[in-house]
Amino acid sequence: MNGVLIPHTPIAVDFWSLRRAGSARLFFLSHMHSDHTVGLSSTWARPLYCSPITAFLLHRHLQVSKRWIRALEVGESHVLPLDEIGRETMTVTLMDANHCPGSVMFLFEGYFGTILYTGDFRFTPAMLKEPALSVGKQIHTLYLDNTNCNPALDLPSQHEAAQQIVALIRKHPQHDVKIGLYSLGKESLLEQLALEFQTWVVLSPRRLELVQLLGLADVFTVEEKAGRIHAVNHMEICHSAMLRWNQARPTIAILPTSRKIHSSHPNIHIIPYSDHSSYSELRAFVTALKPCQVLPIVSRQPCRDYFQDSLGPRLPVTLIPDSVQQYMSASSSKPSVLCLLERKLRRPRTQGVVFESPEEKADRFQADRDSKKAKNEDLSGNHEKQPSLHPLRTKKQLFPDRCSSEWEAAPFSESQRMVTVLTAPLGLSVHLRSPEEEFLPPETGEEIGGGPHLVPRGDNDGSAVSRNPRAWGGQDSPQSPSSKAVPLLAPEFSGLALKYLLTPLNFFQARFSSRGFDQQMEKYHKSL
């Protein structure tokens, strides 16, 4: 992986291992070659800055979500925050790296000074005329592409290498030409060859899509037999492939690369056409910039000793601002406040069971009574006061799928009333409420111990005990004429329910759970 974490900053370039990224919060991608995208995949979920062409390729080929891709225009300066409050910012300028489509150099300017990250690049004198570099800025740290940083490796310029390829093809006028390339890069070389030999260049559909995006000349096609120059994957060029191609037509293969590769067939030609700067070009670049220090991008090939005579004076390390330190020390996996709010709004609320407050219960009790009375007056003309619905009816409404005979109240006669007891404390109706809402316990022992609609108060009209069985069980069928008087409690309600009925209301204390009421009731009966 050819990427760096820039010390004393929250900046990471071509570095995609979050486990090792530490305090990095701003991530930049110089180009789409695989050795600079190790660890970058469709699961990436951090803002990522790159050029517009790289942004297209990143989404198209690595399926990184557009939500996280931030395309920055090349040749322009952009201001980015370095903390969560916007107190500290930096300026980043993107410059063409002359390496592959979308490849850029990053110039960072902030509290840390001026840092230039070249990524992979092929130096041209025009780079020194970039507005961001032509004003004589002092480069404090230069991260340099040192792929070819070797005095023993003498490379021709790209123009010279291209002329070597042209000369080779001219020596084989009757041959098809296979150009071995990586998945990205050297598209301009293919365009130059097509124009030079007035032939179509045959590409894969994937590379054709790319060259159309780049706006190159219309000299490319996917038709296999349309032209004599074919761009193929460099791994396809081997001894067996050369035998197969030459059986069909005379064929030569060209590998435009500065790497030392052994030719396995006499018709495979290695031409030192490179997208990386040569040693002499690196020397010219560093000498012109005079940075305070040079750091290699390819760590396995150190190079700083080659530029000691071209460095400027070292500057002291700048202190990291407090707000940036807090930003860097914050958990990288911690979502922002907005993300938390969005996640909370999207999260389905789990329903819970809580007791009503006395005020809510009293209001609903009165509303139910008035509604019941109005309904009876309209339907039957009976102006007698009617009680509110029994809690059992409320429970049937809350859990309609659980309604069965076990929820029905036993019939009772006119002369003897029955009290139906639920497992919750008497007199408390329940409703569903979100866990986020405040738990509101009953306030007084009267509401806790039993409501007027459960405890017999006599035979007056104001009693809450209904003489209509439909008010208990929620049924519309009339009472059976053969219904007999039943005891105060059915056998299944004996025990705990009976103790509740025999416990004085003023013994219970408010603000207890149902389990707490059970404990109070047991305590009372033990004292007897």
Side-chain angles (χ1 to χ4, degrees):
M1 178 172 60
N2 292 326
V4 298
L5 300 172
I6 299 181
H8 314 296
T9 75
I11 303 171
V13 188
D14 296 344
F15 195 98
W16 312 110
S17 174
L18 291 177
R19 181 178 58 85
R20 298 165 51 198
S23 58
R25 299 294 178 267
L26 298 171
F27 296 87
F28 296 83
L29 175 61
S30 64
H31 64 290
M32 275 290 292
H33 278 165
S34 59
D35 56 333
H36 291 258
T37 60
V38 176
L40 187 55
S41 67
S42 60
T43 62
W44 183 261
R46 300 286 189 282
L48 183 160
Y49 301 91
C50 59
S51 68
I53 293 177
T54 299
F56 171 83
L57 298 174
L58 185 61
H59 175 68
R60 180 76 171 177
H61 300 311
L62 291 185
Q63 287 77 50
V64 174
S65 172
K66 291 181 179 180
R67 173 186 177 186
W68 303 112
I69 301 175
R70 310 287 190 266
L72 304 178
E73 289 298 327
V74 180
E76 298 182 6
S77 297
H78 308 268
V79 178
L80 299 178
L82 289 174
D83 55 26
E84 294 179 314
I85 59 178
R87 180 181 302 171
E88 288 291 335
T89 60
M90 75 170 179
T91 301
V92 57
T93 306
L94 282 66
M95 296 171 285
D96 184 12
N98 188 32
H99 178 68
C100 71
S103 62
V104 293
M105 301 184 288
F106 294 108
L107 183 70
F108 303 106
E109 299 173 84
Y111 70 88
F112 41 77
T114 303
I115 298 173
L116 177 60
Y117 182 92
T118 66
D120 290 350
F121 85 121
R122 185 72 194 253
F123 171 75
T124 63
M127 291 179 177
L128 298 175
K129 297 179 182 179
E130 288 281 351
L133 298 177
S134 61
V135 295
K137 293 179 181 177
Q138 177 64 62
I139 305 297
H140 298 97
T141 303
L142 172 62
Y143 286 92
L144 188 64
D145 173 19
N146 57 316
T147 302
N148 294 328
C149 189
N150 183 356
L153 181 61
D154 187 20
L155 293 177
S157 66
Q158 284 184 324
H159 175 72
E160 293 171 343
Q163 291 305 311
Q164 293 181 27
I165 295 174
V166 170
L168 177 63
I169 296 176
R170 281 185 178 150
K171 289 181 181 179
H172 301 82
Q174 304 302 321
H175 286 64
D176 283 350
V177 181
K178 306 290 185 180
I179 309 290
L181 303 175
Y182 295 102
S183 60
L184 183 66
K186 299 182 175 67
E187 288 76 15
S188 59
L189 172 64
L190 297 177
E191 180 187 41
Q192 181 180 347
L193 296 177
L195 296 175
E196 181 71 28
F197 295 98
Q198 294 297 299
T199 181
W200 292 97
V201 174
V202 180
L203 305 177
S204 67
R206 175 171 174 171
R207 192 180 285 269
L208 179 63
E209 179 186 46
L210 174 62
V211 298
Q212 291 173 342
L213 177 69
L214 298 176
L216 298 178
D218 186 15
V219 293
F220 302 99
T221 182
V222 294
E223 296 183 22
E224 191 70 24
K225 298 181 180 180
R228 59 182 293 226
I229 299 179
H230 295 226
V232 299
N233 188 286
H234 71 286
M235 297 295 292
E236 293 183 45
I237 297 180
C238 58
H239 187 271
S240 59
M242 292 301 299
L243 294 178
R244 184 176 70 256
W245 289 330
N246 277 279
Q247 286 178 352
R249 280 185 57 83
T251 303
I252 63 170
I254 299 174
L255 289 172
T257 179
S258 60
R259 295 186 177 186
K260 299 298 182 181
I261 300 176
H262 173 69
S263 176
S264 59
H265 190 278
N267 282 347
I268 297 178
H269 303 272
I270 314 298
I271 304 296
Y273 183 100
S274 179
D275 289 328
H276 298 270
S277 301
S278 66
Y279 175 76
S280 59
E281 290 168 345
L282 294 176
R283 285 283 303 176
F285 185 62
V286 175
T287 301
L289 293 181
K290 294 190 182 323
C292 297
Q293 63 174 336
V294 175
L295 299 177
I297 291 178
V298 184
S299 58
R300 64 180 179 272
Q301 187 173 327
C303 67
R304 69 180 68 190
D305 294 340
Y306 297 134
F307 306 107
Q308 290 298 325
D309 58 341
S310 302
L311 300 182
R314 294 293 297 269
L315 297 178
V317 178
T318 306
L319 295 178
I320 306 176
D322 292 340
S323 59
V324 180
Q325 283 186 336
Q326 294 176 2
Y327 183 45
M328 294 168 62
S329 61
S331 172
S332 61
S333 60
K334 180 180 179 182
S336 65
V337 175
L338 291 179
C339 290
L340 283 175
L341 292 176
E342 292 173 356
R343 190 174 301 173
K344 184 175 181 180
L345 291 175
R346 291 194 300 265
R347 182 188 305 148
R349 293 186 173 186
T350 305
Q351 296 293 325
V353 179
V354 297
F355 296 112
E356 285 182 326
S357 68
E359 294 81 3
E360 290 176 340
K361 191 183 71 171
D363 293 342
R364 192 169 60 83
F365 175 76
Q366 185 62 40
D368 289 347
R369 169 179 286 184
D370 294 342
S371 175
K372 184 72 174 180
K373 178 179 179 181
K375 181 178 180 182
N376 289 340
E377 288 177 353
D378 292 341
L379 296 179
S380 62
N382 182 12
H383 298 281
E384 183 181 359
K385 293 184 180 180
Q386 297 293 335
S388 69
L389 293 178
H390 189 273
L392 183 61
R393 188 182 185 99
T394 304
K395 190 162 187 175
K396 286 172 66 68
Q397 294 170 349
L398 289 174
F399 309 101
D401 56 322
R402 299 294 299 275
C403 292
S404 62
S405 58
E406 64 175 315
W407 293 108
E408 304 298 334
F412 58 92
S413 66
E414 279 296 320
S415 60
Q416 195 169 15
R417 298 175 176 81
M418 183 201 75
V419 178
T420 303
V421 182
L422 301 179
T423 56
L426 294 178
L428 291 176
S429 59
V430 296
H431 71 282
L432 297 180
R433 183 175 295 172
S434 170
E436 287 85 352
E437 297 182 33
E438 183 182 0
F439 179 84
L440 298 176
E443 294 296 332
T444 64
E446 182 176 354
E447 283 84 3
I448 296 171
H453 58 290
L454 285 180
V455 181
R457 300 280 185 184
D459 294 334
N460 55 29
D461 291 339
S463 99
V465 179
S466 174
R467 301 184 183 188
N468 185 354
R470 288 175 295 178
W472 289 92
Q475 303 296 319
D476 294 328
S477 58
Q479 180 183 356
S480 173
S482 61
S483 298
K484 297 181 180 180
V486 296
L488 182 62
L489 283 176
E492 60 269 23
F493 294 126
S494 61
L496 180 63
L498 182 60
K499 290 181 180 180
Y500 262 112
L501 290 176
L502 298 178
T503 303
L505 295 179
N506 57 6
F507 182 79
F508 291 106
Q509 300 179 16
R511 298 187 180 277
F512 272 89
S513 63
S514 59
R515 181 178 179 182
F517 287 119
D518 292 343
Q519 293 174 348
Q520 292 182 70
M521 179 267 300
E522 293 289 351
K523 180 179 179 181
Y524 171 77
H525 286 280
K526 286 182 180 180
S527 65
L528 296 180

